[in-house]
Amino acid sequence: MQTARLARPSALFAAGSLLLAGCGDAGTSATTAAVSLDNCGRTVRVEAPPERAVSLNQGTTEIMLSLGLADRMAGTATWTDPVMKGLEKENAKVARIADNNPSFERVLDAEPDFVAASFVSTLGKGGVASREQFEKLGVPTYVSPSDCAGKDNSGDGDGARPDPLTAEAVYGEIRDLAAVFGVKERGDKLVGELKARMAKATAGIHASDVTLLYWFANSESPYLAGCCGAPGVITRSLGAKNVFDDTHDEWPQINWETVADRDPDVLVIGDLTRRSQTAESAEKKIAFLESDPVTRNMTAVRHQRYVLLSGQAMNPTIRTIEGVERVAAGLREFGLVK
């Protein structure tokens, strides 16, 4: 649901655990060898490490910043949250060419030599421009594998996943971008840190008796997570169950009567900063849940079992690991797991 979701950052983040810029990464300086990647059904060839990359979504931006690449970025766009904690100084070095989707011409004004996006739709119909438009001008493009591998984007919504997303898709994206920029060792280090955080967050958790519901946006016709996107990574890593794991749609809209019938133990809530739909912030979502006659008697509402996440933590990004950490901490706090 990339076009319908904007959020504020999550409070829980190991500051500096992802920030690799300026860390004395000897032996990881950029090389000049050409790189070819298989990316979302296309071959992407980069003749030399980019010097003026433009990232069109926050997910790819935060990976690049975490790899210490701010000095080789000409612009960023389409921000859904304030930048991840620990990356503020690096982010300040890079021009923000638009808060949302920029025009094709605005991107070209930045004179990019590489363009990356988190979503197929960003570089597709109705987005910034097609990949072909950039490539005709000699600008290679890259789309996060998590939004195309094992996913059907042919419908009008946010797509469906016949196959569950795994954290390996995010790790693969990190390795791809590290290869493109000639900083493989930094990529390997970042992946290792994320895996270590995942292992620490899930150690000893046995949540097979716990049911979760992920609510991103809209109180009138809520967008709730299906089985197999980034929330699925969180759920499966903890051994819990999503009450809507019987739908493969990424973010289906489901009525509250159905939600109440499934009565989840815990509500994982997107804490959004935008104003485009109803009940965007966590505060407004909780006020709705506790006053609406259909939802106020749900188990999670009566016990006030709420876990708040940023939008980026609910997308397939490096912050999905942060989502695992926060939900795991919530389950422990609620006494649902040891």
Side-chain angles (χ1 to χ4, degrees):
M1 239 202 51
Q2 60 271 21
T3 59
R5 298 180 293 139
L6 305 174
R8 60 183 293 183
S10 151
L12 178 66
F13 178 74
S17 67
L18 297 181
L19 180 57
L20 303 182
C23 294
D25 36 318
T28 60
S29 58
T31 64
T32 57
V35 173
S36 290
L37 299 173
D38 292 327
N39 176 238
C40 293
R42 307 172 77 92
T43 298
V44 178
R45 183 171 175 83
V46 180
E47 297 297 334
E51 295 293 334
R52 296 190 58 79
V54 170
S55 171
L56 297 176
N57 292 109
Q58 188 170 347
T60 45
T61 295
E62 290 184 342
I63 290 177
M64 292 183 191
L65 294 177
S66 296
L67 291 171
L69 300 172
D71 61 340
R72 288 196 265 156
M73 299 176 69
T76 68
T78 320
W79 286 79
T80 59
D81 301 302
V83 70
M84 187 169 67
K85 290 186 181 298
L87 295 177
E88 295 90 347
K89 290 183 179 180
E90 293 305 294
N91 181 55
K93 299 175 184 178
V94 185
R96 181 176 296 195
I97 62 177
D99 289 331
N100 298 307
N101 273 357
S103 67
F104 182 42
E105 292 75 17
R106 182 66 187 88
V107 178
L108 295 182
D109 285 345
E111 301 180 349
D113 55 6
F114 179 75
V115 171
S118 297
F119 304 108
V120 170
S121 60
T122 304
L123 287 173
K125 184 178 180 180
V128 174
S130 69
R131 299 183 74 171
E132 289 84 0
Q133 286 175 277
F134 282 108
E135 289 161 6
K136 284 178 181 177
L137 298 175
V139 181
T141 62
Y142 179 87
V143 174
S144 300
S146 58
D147 200 51
C148 54
K151 187 180 177 189
D152 178 5
N153 290 302
S154 61
D156 294 330
D158 293 294
R161 293 188 186 272
D163 303 313
L165 178 74
T166 71
E168 287 300 323
V170 176
Y171 303 150
E173 179 179 359
I174 293 168
R175 294 189 182 101
D176 282 351
L177 291 173
V180 164
F181 285 89
V183 291
K184 179 180 181 298
E185 290 183 19
R186 298 186 202 176
D188 291 341
K189 181 179 180 182
L190 178 55
V191 169
E193 291 178 350
L194 291 170
K195 287 185 174 181
R197 287 174 57 194
M198 175 78 89
K200 181 178 179 181
T202 59
I205 281 195
H206 303 286
S208 58
D209 294 331
V210 180
T211 56
L212 306 173
L213 170 76
Y214 297 81
W215 177 19
F216 202 96
N218 200 314
S219 60
E220 296 170 356
S221 185
Y223 289 96
L224 309 173
C227 68
C228 298
V233 174
I234 298 170
T235 303
R236 290 190 302 277
S237 71
L238 301 174
K241 182 180 180 181
N242 177 350
V243 292
F244 290 111
D245 65 1
D246 55 346
T247 176
H248 288 256
D249 290 345
E250 190 90 331
W251 290 99
Q253 290 180 276
I254 300 171
N255 64 62
W256 287 116
E257 288 77 12
T258 302
V259 173
D261 285 343
R262 302 209 179 181
D263 197 24
D265 297 316
V266 176
L267 294 172
V268 184
I269 294 174
D271 195 6
L272 312 188
T273 57
R274 67 178 185 187
R275 303 263 190 301
S276 64
Q277 297 194 35
T278 56
E280 299 282 47
S281 69
E283 181 181 9
K284 289 186 177 179
K285 285 183 173 72
I286 291 169
F288 171 84
L289 290 166
E290 294 182 352
S291 62
D292 185 83
V294 175
T295 60
R296 65 190 181 194
N297 291 318
M298 290 166 52
T299 298
V301 177
R302 286 189 291 105
H303 293 282
Q304 297 186 318
R305 294 181 187 146
Y306 311 125
V307 177
L308 310 188
L309 293 186
S310 68
Q312 288 297 304
M314 287 182 164
N315 276 331
T317 68
I318 53 178
R319 290 214 220 176
T320 300
I321 310 306
E322 173 188 310
V324 174
E325 292 170 331
R326 289 186 63 83
V327 176
L331 298 187
R332 290 189 174 100
E333 178 185 343
F334 302 144
L336 297 175
V337 296
K338 294 182 179 180

